[in-house]
Amino acid sequence: MRKLLAVLAALCLLAAGPGTAVAAQPGQKKVIKIGVTQSVDSMNPFLAVRLVTGSIQRMIYGFLTVPDSKTLQPSPDLAESWTTSPDGLTWTFKIRQAKWSDGQPITADDAAWTFNKMMTDDGAKTGNGPAVENFQSVSANGQELTIKLKTPQASMLDNPVPIMPKHVWEKIKEISKYDGETYPTVGSGPYVAVEHKKGQFVRLEANPDYWRGRPKIDELQIIFYDNPAASIVGLKKGDIDLIGRLNPPDFESLKGDGNIVQWNTQGRRATYLQINHGATTSDNKPIGDGHPALKDPRVRTALHYAIDKQKLVDEVQNGLARPADGSIIPPLYKDFFWEASGAEKVTFDLAKANKILDDAGYKKGPDGVRTMPDGSRKLQFRFSIHTDTPIEEKLAEYLTGWFKEIGITLTTKRLDSSKFTEETGTTALFDIAISGWSVNPDPEEVLGTHLCSRRPTATGEGGGTESFYCDPTYESLYLQQQKELDRTKRADIIKKMEERLYVDAPVIALYYPNDLEGYRKDRIAKITPIPEDKGLLYGGSGYWPFYTLEAVSTDAKAGGGSNAGVIAGVAAGIVVLALGGFFLAWRRRSASDERE
Amino acid sequence: MTTVPEVPAVEALDERPVRHGLLRYAATKAGGALLSIAMVIVATFFLFRLLPGDPVRALAQGRNMTPEQLDLERARLGLDKPIPEQFLHFVSQTLRLDLGVSYEYKRPVLDLIGERIGSTLLLTGTALVMAVSLGLWQGARAGWKPGSRFDKISTAISLVLWSVPTFWLGLLLLMVFAAGIGPIPGIFPTRGSSSVDKPAGFAGVLDVGEHMVLPCLTLVAVVYAQYLLVMRSSVIDEVGQDYITTARAKGLRDDEVRRKHAVPNALLPTVTLVFLRIGFVVGGAVTVEAIFSWPGLGQLFYQAIRVPDFTLMQGTFLLITVSVIVMNTLADVVYHLLDPRVRSA
């Protein structure tokens, strides 16, 4: 035993040697580490679907356009300029004279190859398939890219497809089976991926040939945490320098740490209630088991009046949100944001809610619960939330309390996320459900989730609806905005759509959660949010914050500190153990000696 | 005099059937194991189809997909075929050791498992060795003098650790030793199996070691109690036996009686336990891997459940169950080999 301990201690001392040597290496390289709570699914952009992978692609590859850092409007990226034919069907992009990270020139042919690959190869559709659905044909001529559309599409400039280098990717025989794990990657964005350790991290190095100029830091590390609590510990300890998408309690736990900047700004999400107002399939047949009372717009409006949104913001979101008096596009997108005013505006008013229900004939029974006008059913609704989400639990408590005041019983139904998606999006086995959406700078996608065509098919499949909504007024407005290439005019139409959703209330917007992030000011000297005035960092659109990032000079306190500390700690621990073991062995020996 | 020639005869009589018996025993056990594995394969297929959630919709992750695209995905995953056909396909694939392609990663499940199994074996293997050695040593000492202060303290500690939720304990260790509390500085890393800029050579090994401390400690803390308790009661059983009294009567040191006589006999019941744990070691420790973002099979399985990625879940589940069955069978055979009492029974 003693021998073993001695060997261990010796090993430990030996180990301390090279370990400290490594720690003492001068930290010349400027490295910034970002903590994320989602791992990369695939480094092949044709296949990847996860959010984190999308953010990484934004840094590695160029796109036709990027959101402008001030206005969030589409601005030049790989496409320097563009024109549209009067009928809105032909788009011509002029591709920038720039280089791939391997030195080859970027041409329109690369873009044409990327889009054509997605249009012709089913295997390449997985990641961004819907983006090319409206494409009739794509062709290239030198630096000129021509895209012909089937129908006009105003959101054309918000194209989410990364442009891939043809000369590298055309050699890959089967896109659907290629993992994209070849390093360094060949791209045209500000960074080049140099290493991916699965389930652990992705390392990106500055692209010296980037057309805007080389980023100011040398290396960006995207580090994966399976456990959000551990990522907060990691930020406090300095294992990571920045973390986004925090929930209010985690964000508040960063308070008081002198090294950490709490970033609290307008978010790009809206939280709303989805109401089963008579779900139907795309051939208008009823589906699901929604409560019949919810088909009545008056009941939905009464529910709306019974919600104190300010209280939800204060007590469910810890004040870190803005109450919603409008629709599903958050105020971050100034151009498209619409807010109710005047008589149209629904404010918290239980008496009014009760009156609406009284007038509509929903009488209260002796137990205080209302019944349908024909007496057939009580107004008892289910509220579907996700399992293990404390915020939604809390929300449910508040809603249950208010709805009780207006004679409506609400029972909470907890579902795991896949069952939740199925019941609220396909089978319609719900009454009221929690919902929310991250909105892109071009809001077309989120508006599209309320179209008739997004309802499930007759066989009960697919779709992608957020409300089972199907309304002719909304539908025609959607088609109008799709054709409207004038941004201001388009925004007006979009606001009408939001108003329609607000008044008809198939969904009730509750609040817009803030974007909550945190970063270490002893590591990050400067970071520009997007949009620049008061925008987002990691959670934003595009690579802007990570391109403009400036690191604190690393010469003074190069990362080694923790490593040396660990080694000292381990050594101390082993010495203590060894001493303890020695003491025990000695005692045992003396005890047995006594016995003899 | 007459008894002398009889002794070898008896031994011969005794020996031969034993050897044959062992083979037969092993064959029966192996047969049983194969049957169990076959049943597991069947069960796996249906179990994962009973789970709620449409994998294709889940894969879309809220993105808009047209019905045509969903159909395409379904066809790609083979979900458009009738269940019996899917079943036959699954069985023939599994028998050819092909676990299919992960829905989400779009790569063969076997490759994904191959990438992760090493770090899982490293973590859980080390933890197992430590838990077994610590548990058995402490259990033997505690059982030798039941009621002593050492016994009381060991039993109390192990019972507390045994009942503490793994997730809670892991988080506690993370908060204290990674973040640091009060006078305790945060020394250990918060995640993963190595640093991003992992140094080469021996320093690299040390780097992995330092990442392993907290997850390993958590695992050891929660599993070692069972070894301690089994070993303790097993030693207590032995203490009352006549051969111990005989050994003591011969004048052997107490210490020696314990180490050379009692402990080897008391070890037998722990064999099954050790082998069973090896089975679980393959599956990793889902909770511990999730707390410390340890890139092993447990983490892979945990993420597969969240999607849900059916093929990946199926694959990892199969691997874990099969290794438990195999280890269980091995435990039976080894036990048979070690303990004559089982042989005669």
Side-chain angles (χ1 to χ4, degrees):
Chain A
M1 184 78 168
R2 259 191 304 177
K3 269 185 195 161
L4 181 75
L5 287 168
V7 169
L8 266 177
L11 263 179
C12 178
L13 283 176
L14 268 178
T20 25
V22 168
Q25 263 177 18
Q28 296 298 343
K29 218 154 94 169
K30 285 184 180 169
V31 181
I32 292 296
K33 301 170 179 181
I34 301 162
V36 294
T37 47
Q38 195 180 38
S39 65
V40 168
D41 50 347
S42 172
M43 287 299 279
N44 178 345
F46 288 107
L47 302 183
V49 293
R50 286 193 184 167
L51 226 51
V52 63
T53 322
S55 312
I56 294 175
Q57 282 167 17
R58 285 267 169 199
M59 304 193 207
I60 307 177
Y61 300 102
F63 290 67
L64 285 182
T65 61
V66 293
D68 180 78
S69 57
K70 290 190 183 74
T71 63
L72 293 183
Q73 291 190 31
S75 75
D77 189 23
L78 278 189
E80 224 166 22
S81 60
W82 49 85
T83 54
T84 322
S85 65
D87 61 1
L89 287 176
T90 307
W91 290 72
T92 312
F93 295 88
K94 189 165 174 254
I95 302 295
R96 183 181 302 282
Q97 297 275 2
K99 280 186 176 145
W100 291 106
S101 54
D102 65 354
Q104 299 278 331
I106 301 172
T107 67
D109 214 21
D110 292 306
W113 179 85
T114 307
F115 292 127
N116 278 313
K117 190 75 195 167
M118 288 169 60
M119 288 157 67
T120 53
D121 181 349
D122 282 343
K125 276 198 177 82
T126 320
N128 287 305
V132 295
E133 212 156 274
N134 190 30
F135 285 15
Q136 182 78 51
S137 70
V138 181
S139 58
N141 180 13
Q143 295 300 105
E144 203 177 271
L145 178 78
T146 308
I147 300 177
K148 287 201 160 65
L149 301 177
K150 293 174 191 163
T151 55
Q153 183 183 341
S155 64
M156 179 64 199
L157 288 175
D158 192 42
N159 190 293
V161 179
I163 306 300
M164 306 303 290
K166 181 188 173 190
H167 66 280
V168 177
W169 282 73
E170 69 180 350
K171 291 178 195 140
I172 290 143
K173 286 199 187 81
E174 235 177 312
I175 294 279
S176 60
K177 290 192 176 155
Y178 178 57
D179 61 7
E181 303 275 351
T182 312
Y183 300 101
T185 49
V186 178
S188 55
Y191 295 94
V192 177
V194 289
E195 190 187 0
H196 172 213
K197 208 154 191 195
K198 283 163 200 145
Q200 295 210 61
F201 58 81
V202 177
R203 234 156 41 83
L204 307 173
E205 271 176 13
N207 176 6
D209 295 328
Y210 182 52
W211 63 268
R212 276 187 214 268
R214 186 184 195 279
K216 293 184 184 78
I217 56 159
D218 304 298
E219 188 173 313
L220 200 58
Q221 297 173 354
I222 319 283
I223 298 178
F224 166 62
Y225 278 87
D226 220 341
N227 170 10
S231 67
I232 297 294
V233 173
L235 181 72
K236 285 183 175 166
K237 193 186 161 213
D239 282 1
I240 48 172
D241 308 322
L242 183 144
I243 187 161
R245 299 172 195 283
L246 297 174
N247 57 37
D250 282 339
F251 181 75
E252 291 193 333
S253 77
L254 297 177
K255 206 178 260 169
D257 192 320
N259 286 321
I260 294 174
V261 175
Q262 284 181 293
W263 193 261
N264 171 13
T265 181
Q266 287 180 1
R268 53 188 281 213
R269 281 186 77 80
T271 299
Y272 44 94
L273 297 180
Q274 176 189 352
I275 298 175
N276 191 341
H277 60 287
T280 47
T281 53
S282 52
D283 59 346
N284 297 321
K285 299 249 166 59
I287 184 174
D289 64 355
H291 196 290
L294 291 169
K295 285 183 187 166
D296 186 343
R298 291 170 298 183
V299 173
R300 304 202 291 268
T301 308
L303 292 178
H304 200 165
Y305 273 108
I307 300 170
D308 186 346
K309 294 167 181 170
Q310 185 62 50
K311 193 156 191 135
L312 289 181
V313 165
D314 293 342
E315 294 179 17
V316 175
Q317 286 284 328
N318 302 24
L320 300 166
R322 169 172 164 175
D325 285 318
S327 189
I328 50 176
I329 299 172
L332 169 72
Y333 301 111
K334 293 186 196 99
D335 298 358
F336 299 115
F337 177 64
W338 174 85
E339 204 164 21
S341 57
E344 210 175 37
K345 185 167 163 177
V346 177
T347 44
F348 179 55
D349 189 342
L350 290 173
K352 189 160 183 183
N354 268 314
K355 188 173 183 303
I356 294 173
L357 291 171
D358 287 339
D359 292 351
Y362 297 89
K363 300 226 160 44
K364 267 188 191 171
D367 55 354
V369 180
R370 292 181 189 272
T371 47
M372 299 283 290
D374 60 3
S376 60
R377 264 178 89 171
K378 286 188 174 178
L379 262 57
Q380 290 173 322
F381 304 143
R382 298 158 294 171
F383 182 44
S384 304
I385 61 168
H386 298 87
T387 41
D388 300 332
T389 38
I391 282 189
E392 292 176 13
E393 288 284 344
K394 220 167 158 186
L395 182 75
E397 275 172 38
Y398 281 90
L399 292 182
T400 309
W402 291 319
F403 289 180
K404 197 177 168 204
E405 304 261 320
I406 60 166
I408 292 173
T409 318
L410 195 68
T411 48
T412 308
K413 188 176 169 191
R414 296 164 189 83
L415 298 164
D416 69 59
S417 67
S418 64
K419 191 78 187 158
F420 185 94
T421 321
E422 191 176 302
E423 289 197 356
T424 62
T426 312
T427 54
L429 302 173
F430 74 103
D431 293 324
I432 302 174
I434 185 74
S435 193
W437 202 272
S438 269
V439 182
N440 289 331
D442 190 301
E444 190 177 283
E445 194 179 325
V446 69
L447 294 172
T449 56
H450 306 285
L451 292 177
C452 301
S453 57
R454 291 290 163 77
R455 293 171 300 165
T457 59
T459 50
E461 298 221 318
T465 182
E466 261 303 287
S467 57
F468 289 89
Y469 197 49
C470 183
D471 173 64
T473 316
Y474 186 86
E475 208 79 1
S476 78
L477 287 168
Y478 183 87
L479 292 175
Q480 276 178 47
Q481 67 78 31
Q482 219 174 8
K483 288 189 192 121
E484 184 54 69
L485 297 177
D486 182 299
R487 192 172 165 95
T488 324
K489 285 184 191 158
R490 180 169 174 238
D492 287 340
I493 305 172
I494 285 177
K495 285 175 188 169
K496 279 188 193 139
M497 297 173 73
E498 295 177 77
E499 186 180 0
R500 179 78 193 135
L501 279 179
Y502 185 78
V503 173
D504 207 17
V507 294
I508 298 174
L510 300 176
Y511 48 76
Y512 311 109
N514 286 8
D515 171 64
L516 304 174
E517 312 189 64
Y519 70 84
R520 293 192 68 90
K521 60 180 173 205
D522 57 346
R523 303 275 304 134
I524 294 176
K526 192 176 156 230
I527 181 165
T528 316
I530 178 162
E532 278 179 15
D533 51 348
K534 188 83 182 81
L536 292 74
L537 304 176
Y538 177 78
S541 320
Y543 52 79
W544 195 247
F546 298 101
Y547 176 66
T548 55
L549 193 63
E550 284 177 40
V552 170
S553 171
T554 49
D555 301 338
K557 39 188 171 214
S562 84
N563 204 5
V566 169
I567 287 164
V570 171
I574 290 190
V575 167
V576 168
L577 270 180
L579 282 176
F582 177 76
F583 178 68
L584 272 178
W586 174 74
R587 257 199 57 182
R588 197 182 62 184
R589 176 55 51 89
S590 61
S592 55
D593 284 349
E594 271 166 38
R595 274 200 294 273
E596 277 173 352
Chain B
M1 283 297 273
T2 46
T3 54
V4 175
E6 263 180 36
V7 172
V10 169
E11 268 180 1
L13 270 176
D14 227 30
E15 288 260 292
R16 249 176 252 142
V18 166
R19 287 224 176 106
H20 282 267
L22 178 67
L23 275 182
R24 199 179 309 134
Y25 184 81
T28 325
K29 284 285 162 187
L34 282 178
L35 192 71
S36 309
I37 292 175
M39 281 161 65
V40 163
I41 294 178
V42 176
T44 307
F45 178 83
F46 290 102
L47 180 71
F48 286 95
R49 264 147 198 85
L50 283 178
L51 281 180
D54 173 359
V56 174
R57 285 213 60 77
L59 268 183
Q61 301 205 331
R63 292 171 313 147
N64 302 321
M65 284 174 99
T66 61
E68 293 77 45
Q69 277 171 328
L70 289 170
D71 287 346
L72 197 79
E73 276 293 289
R74 266 199 192 93
R76 191 173 70 81
L77 301 173
L79 291 171
D80 54 338
K81 304 205 172 64
I83 291 283
E85 199 183 323
Q86 285 187 41
F87 176 68
L88 284 180
H89 181 69
F90 172 73
V91 171
S92 77
Q93 237 189 354
T94 311
L95 291 181
R96 280 179 280 125
L97 289 181
D98 175 359
L99 297 180
V101 174
S102 149
Y103 290 178
E104 200 182 21
Y105 293 92
K106 285 117 199 155
R107 296 184 47 226
V109 170
L110 218 54
D111 288 5
L112 292 168
I113 289 177
E115 281 162 9
R116 306 284 188 126
I117 200 161
S119 56
T120 282
L121 289 181
L122 178 68
L123 173 65
T124 42
T126 314
L128 182 71
V129 170
M130 288 171 67
V132 168
S133 355
L134 185 69
L136 296 189
W137 172 78
Q138 212 179 331
R141 283 188 68 94
W144 188 243
K145 281 188 194 136
S148 66
R149 206 165 65 180
F150 183 85
D151 178 40
K152 278 184 190 152
I153 294 176
S154 310
T155 316
I157 292 179
S158 63
L159 283 178
V160 167
L161 290 176
W162 181 237
S163 17
V164 152
T166 314
F167 199 81
W168 184 81
L169 183 69
L171 269 183
L172 192 75
L173 288 178
L174 187 83
M175 297 294 176
V176 175
F177 294 108
I181 280 186
I184 309 169
I187 46 173
F188 295 107
T190 44
R191 57 153 298 284
S193 64
S194 64
S195 308
V196 179
D197 26 27
K198 180 181 150 190
F202 190 71
V205 176
L206 211 69
D207 179 66
V208 174
E210 129 193 3
H211 279 79
M212 227 165 78
V213 173
L214 292 183
C216 202
L217 207 61
T218 314
L219 263 181
V220 170
V222 276
V223 301
Y224 101 104
Q226 54 181 327
Y227 295 106
L228 188 152
L229 295 175
V230 169
M231 189 62 187
R232 176 179 174 274
S233 65
S234 181
V235 167
I236 291 178
D237 281 350
E238 298 299 327
V239 171
Q241 303 284 331
D242 290 344
Y243 73 90
I244 299 285
T245 319
T246 314
R248 280 179 168 156
K250 280 199 293 183
L252 293 178
R253 269 194 301 150
D254 201 42
D255 195 37
E256 219 170 334
V257 176
R258 180 168 60 87
R259 272 188 293 145
K260 294 200 175 142
H261 294 260
V263 169
N265 285 321
L267 269 176
L268 276 173
T270 63
V271 168
T272 320
L273 209 57
V274 172
F275 270 93
L276 265 187
R277 245 323 138 176
I278 298 179
F280 286 110
V281 158
V282 177
V286 179
T287 320
V288 171
E289 290 193 2
I291 300 168
F292 296 99
S293 317
W294 187 267
L297 285 181
Q299 195 199 57
L300 194 67
F301 188 59
Y302 175 64
Q303 287 177 12
I305 294 173
R306 289 203 291 193
V307 173
D309 187 336
F310 284 116
T311 35
L312 190 53
M313 281 158 81
Q314 255 168 216
T316 32
F317 180 78
L318 257 181
L319 182 83
I320 296 167
T321 20
V322 168
S323 54
V324 170
I325 293 174
V326 169
M327 286 304 151
N328 204 353
T329 315
L330 268 178
D332 280 348
V333 175
V334 171
Y335 210 117
H336 188 85
L337 209 62
L338 292 181
D339 192 346
R341 284 170 297 185
V342 180
R343 257 181 270 166
S344 52

